[in-house]
Amino acid sequence: MNIFYLLAGAAAASTAVMHAMWAEKRIIKDLKQSNMTDLAKAGFSIAWHQITALLAVSGVFLILLSFLDVSETIETAGILIAVIFTGNIIVFFTVSKLRYPHVFKSTLYPVINSGAIILLIILGFLV
């Protein structure tokens, strides 16, 4: 067992929980009341949720990696990156569709970019 991965994973996962709770109490409330454009609000909101998801997914994967051998850890790293990009797409779609549906179409570039990266990672596994 890699104790450092385990501790890093626990720290990342707990940070994700704190990040999400703090945002809902402080940031998101103020963001909704601000006079920024909806596109700017969407950008901040989506980025905040993506960071929370990144912390959570990274934490869980680090905890899992702490129990693997080095060779399994290296192979799992590509899967982790693909999951992170997939998570970004899911968060993007969810937050933008639920909170800012009228600006959704003007922010599709990150989704297309992430989709291309995921496809390349999948092709890398097949080689």
Side-chain angles (χ1 to χ4, degrees):
M1 172 189 281
N2 187 325
I3 192 71
F4 298 107
Y5 282 2
L6 181 64
L7 293 173
S14 62
T15 302
V17 172
M18 291 183 288
H19 193 262
M21 290 172 38
W22 185 75
E24 288 301 322
K25 290 182 180 179
R26 305 283 181 158
I27 302 295
I28 301 299
K29 181 179 148 186
D30 292 343
L31 184 63
K32 288 179 182 177
Q33 298 172 356
S34 77
N35 62 355
M36 294 188 321
T37 66
D38 281 344
L39 185 59
K41 288 180 185 181
F44 279 105
S45 183
I46 290 167
W48 190 276
H49 286 83
Q50 285 175 323
I51 290 168
T52 302
L54 173 68
L55 287 164
V57 169
S58 297
V60 169
F61 261 86
L62 282 166
I63 290 169
L64 293 174
L65 289 175
S66 72
F67 296 101
L68 299 177
D69 292 332
V70 173
S71 62
E72 293 170 322
T73 302
I74 292 169
E75 291 177 1
T76 308
I79 295 168
L80 170 61
I81 294 167
V83 168
I84 288 171
F85 277 96
T86 303
N88 272 337
I89 290 174
I90 292 168
V91 168
F92 180 87
F93 276 128
T94 303
V95 173
S96 61
K97 280 290 193 184
L98 293 177
R99 295 190 178 174
Y100 306 97
H102 51 286
V103 298
F104 175 73
K105 289 182 182 177
S106 62
T107 57
L108 282 177
Y109 171 75
V111 172
I112 295 167
N113 185 51
S114 293
I117 293 169
I118 293 166
L119 178 64
L120 291 170
I121 292 170
I122 292 169
L123 292 171
F125 282 119
L126 298 175
V127 172

